[in-house]
Amino acid sequence: QVQLVESGGGSVEAGGSLRLSCAASPDAYVNNYLAWFRQAPVKEREVIARVGTSNGVTYYTDSVKGRFTISKDDIKTTVYLQMNSLKAEDTAMYYCAAGEFGGSSPRLYNYWGQGTQVTVSS
């Protein structure tokens, strides 16, 4: 069964940190791209970071560069997103997704987790 399960969201004050986890079933993890998306109310879902599970290549959108770090554990088939220096505009539902091609469009990702809410107060 393909499964992605996010955890680690919560409410923090601006400037704080959170670490999100995405526990992936092996069939969703191997030879794939794992990405973190977020979606705020009335906004489109956007990719913020991704990593190739085989090649280790990472991507970050400009708004999180220098603040967020994506990492992976191949043994645990888990991907993490360390979020530092959080801002109010980071408030969103955060989703983990798995896909073959590693692009930025949500349509390229076949499997999605349930999401975890991140709320940052200013």
Side-chain angles (χ1 to χ4, degrees), residues 14-85:
S17 298
L18 287 171
R19 189 174 81 150
L20 307 183
S21 297
C22 173
S25 56
D27 53 351
Y29 186 93
V30 296
N31 300 320
N32 219 343
Y33 291 85
L34 272 294
W36 286 100
F37 287 78
R38 68 184 180 189
Q39 187 168 24
V42 308
K43 294 186 179 295
E44 293 185 353
R45 189 168 297 188
E46 63 169 348
V47 65
I48 57 172
R50 64 173 176 262
V51 60
T53 58
S54 294
N55 60 26
V57 175
T58 59
Y59 163 87
Y60 300 94
T61 193
D62 286 345
S63 63
V64 308
K65 285 181 180 176
R67 299 190 297 124
F68 293 7
T69 302
I70 190 169
S71 60
K72 64 185 181 74
D73 185 326
D74 292 340
I75 302 302
K76 295 182 178 180
T77 62
T78 297
V79 175
Y80 305 94
L81 186 69
Q82 179 67 45
M83 305 186 295
N84 298 326
S85 301

Side-chain angles (χ1 to χ4, degrees), residues 77-108:
T77 62
T78 297
V79 175
Y80 305 94
L81 186 69
Q82 179 67 45
M83 305 186 295
N84 298 326
S85 301
L86 283 162
K87 305 173 181 179
E89 50 263 46
D90 294 318
T91 295
M93 185 72 75
Y94 284 70
Y95 298 91
C96 182
E100 180 181 359
F101 301 108
S104 296
S105 174
R107 67 178 179 84
L108 297 174

